[in-house]
Amino acid sequence: MPRSTSPSRDTPLSTVTADAPVAADSGPRGRSGPRPKGPYRRLFALPGARAFTAGNLVARLPMGMFSVSAVVMIAGTRGSYALAGAVTATGLAATAVVAPWTARLVDRYGQARVALPAAVFAVLGSLALLLCVRHGAPDWTLFAAYAATATTPNTGGMSRARWAHLLKGDAEALHTANSFEQAADELCFMLGPVLAAFLCGTFFPEAGTLVGAVLLLAGVLLFTAQRSTEPPAARRSSARSPLRSPGMRPLLVVCLATGAVFGSLEVVTLAFADERGHRAASGAVLALQAAGSCAAGLLYGAIRPAGSARSRLPWCLAAMAALMTLPLLAAGLTGSLVLLAGALLVAGMATAPTMVTTMTLVQRYSPADRLNEGMTLAVTGLLGGIACGSAAGGWTVEHVSATAGYGVPVAAAAIALLVSLCTLALFGPSNRFTDSLPNH
């Protein structure tokens, strides 16, 4: 039987061109190599990344639980929302003062040596509040106990500091990491209040505070145990305070105004739902806003945005200001809670890109050995803005209407945009004024 002379599938064919013989491969066109990993898979392929992220998420979830748990616990047993609001406001003010000092100690002595004792002290404050409420202690003890929780470490900032340490010099990967961290923030602040309300309503009024304290301590223990990814401490830093870095102060004003967007949006939405007899649905409506931000944050981290972070920030703020008009229009033109929920879902999509870009700039403006302090200053600005926005939104709801209250987040976003545009006009789109900063 004659042997076939046709070439095999793996045998290259020879042909002749006008200049020289060329070998042509007629083999199958299979995959030339392994499929490249996506940005998030590459991120968590780093040794130790999954472990410290898991601990950080457990520790961060109570951040969205404590305030709601305290309000439900105090109002349910003392019958006063005014007292509950005053106690939580005191804790917020104490956190704004104490948190930057805690972060400075973290930079100087390391995350494990400072964060764990700080978390233990905060947990003791939460348990003290629980016992004071449970046993009918005087009102002043509630303020003192809740103020002690101000030492709660900024686990989100410490996680971002670890990414900055692990991804030094890789701006694209750091952008993905910051986007993931913002999405994690939104997820925790979306699930935290829901979990707190469920625990307090299903079991007993103190259940939310108790579970939150256990989660915080367990999460910080797991997070600080991951020593291989911890940034080195700088006990004798010669770098100046991040607050004195050029560009940081206008950025903190942006954080303040952005926080006012969040604070006013929450209060006004609660009032709007209550006004229409759907108070129980207010948590789910607010969760949609956080869900939109979470989804946008993950998508934003998967792409490579054009331009510098300083030039992108005004565009992000402009998008946020524009989208914040949607809840105002939905509430004013329709009065429908369902349409408002959809408007909040879309409006939330501008939140995460804005915060990711802001935190990227905070990292750039902060000296490397005072990074936790810089990011905690930004969080402090957000907390101050949330308090101001809550007050402004509450005043507008009480003296005008819940619908008019949606004008407050629009105004706050416009102020943030104006500050960023003025800063851009003053310094230009480049980051040349940060070149003189130490450790950059």
Side-chain angles (χ1 to χ4, degrees):
M1 183 175 182
R3 182 178 297 178
S4 171
T5 57
S6 62
S8 68
R9 296 183 64 182
D10 298 327
T11 304
L13 296 176
S14 295
T15 185
V16 178
T17 66
D19 300 317
V22 178
D25 186 6
S26 63
R29 294 294 184 265
R31 293 181 180 177
S32 58
R35 185 178 181 179
K37 295 180 179 179
Y40 289 105
R41 289 185 63 189
R42 290 197 302 269
L43 197 66
F44 289 103
L46 294 172
R50 295 183 182 182
F52 84 74
T53 298
N56 188 268
L57 289 176
V58 173
R60 209 184 307 190
L61 181 60
M63 300 301 103
M65 297 176 60
F66 282 134
S67 294
V68 173
S69 298
V71 169
V72 173
M73 180 173 62
I74 296 171
T77 55
R78 300 293 174 97
S80 173
Y81 277 98
L83 175 62
V87 170
T88 55
T90 299
L92 188 65
T95 300
V97 174
V98 174
W101 292 96
T102 304
R104 184 176 296 182
L105 292 175
V106 168
D107 286 328
R108 185 172 298 178
Y109 298 104
Q111 294 183 356
R113 294 187 63 184
V114 175
L116 186 55
V120 169
F121 193 85
V123 166
L124 291 176
S126 294
L127 296 179
L129 175 67
L130 186 153
L131 293 174
C132 289
V133 172
R134 184 79 172 178
H135 296 286
D139 290 350
W140 67 265
T141 61
L142 308 185
F143 290 90
Y146 202 66
T149 64
T151 62
T152 302
N154 178 15
T155 51
M158 290 191 297
S159 185
R160 288 178 173 91
R162 292 200 180 207
W163 288 122
H165 170 64
L166 294 173
L167 303 172
K168 191 175 296 182
D170 191 344
E172 187 174 346
L174 187 58
H175 165 74
T176 302
N178 284 334
S179 299
F180 170 79
E181 291 297 327
Q182 186 59 40
D185 278 340
E186 300 294 345
L187 182 65
C188 291
F189 278 99
M190 178 175 63
L191 297 179
V194 176
L195 178 59
F198 170 77
L199 291 171
C200 295
T202 304
F203 299 101
F204 48 91
E206 299 86 0
T209 298
L210 183 60
V211 172
V214 172
L215 289 175
L216 174 63
L217 187 57
V220 172
L221 276 169
L222 180 58
F223 178 77
T224 54
Q226 314 307 315
R227 303 299 293 269
S228 63
T229 54
E230 182 179 349
R235 293 197 177 187
R236 296 184 178 180
S237 174
S238 59
R240 55 185 169 181
S241 169
L243 194 58
R244 298 176 58 191
S245 299
M248 179 63 88
R249 292 179 185 178
L251 196 59
L252 293 181
V253 177
V254 170
C255 290
L256 188 71
T258 305
V261 173
F262 304 152
S264 58
L265 205 60
E266 180 175 350
V267 171
V268 173
T269 300
L270 290 171
F272 185 86
D274 193 19
E275 189 178 85
R276 277 150 182 78
H278 299 289
R279 186 176 184 180
S282 58
V285 173
L286 286 171
L288 283 175
Q289 189 265 340
S293 181
C294 180
L298 292 174
L299 179 62
Y300 190 61
I303 63 175
R304 185 176 182 179
S308 66
R310 289 193 64 241
S311 63
R312 290 198 307 271
L313 183 59
W315 290 102
C316 292
L317 290 169
M320 184 168 70
L323 292 180
M324 283 300 156
T325 62
L326 295 179
L328 178 62
L329 293 173
L333 297 179
T334 69
S336 168
L337 190 63
V338 174
L339 291 179
L340 175 66
L344 287 172
L345 176 67
V346 177
M349 293 180 180
T351 302
T354 300
M355 291 306 305
V356 170
T357 308
T358 300
M359 285 301 181
T360 299
L361 289 172
V362 169
Q363 290 174 345
R364 186 169 301 167
Y365 296 164
S366 301
D369 51 4
R370 301 188 73 164
L371 188 55
N372 281 293
E373 183 180 351
M375 287 188 289
T376 303
L377 284 172
V379 172
T380 300
L382 287 170
L383 292 176
I386 290 172
C388 294
S390 298
W395 186 93
T396 306
V397 166
E398 185 173 343
H399 291 85
V400 188
S401 68
T403 300
Y406 282 107
V408 177
V410 176
I415 292 172
L417 173 60
L418 182 61
V419 172
S420 69
L421 288 174
C422 290
T423 305
L424 192 66
L426 182 62
F427 294 108
S430 69
N431 290 308
R432 63 182 182 277
F433 64 92
T434 63
D435 293 341
S436 61
L437 294 178
N439 300 314
H440 276 278

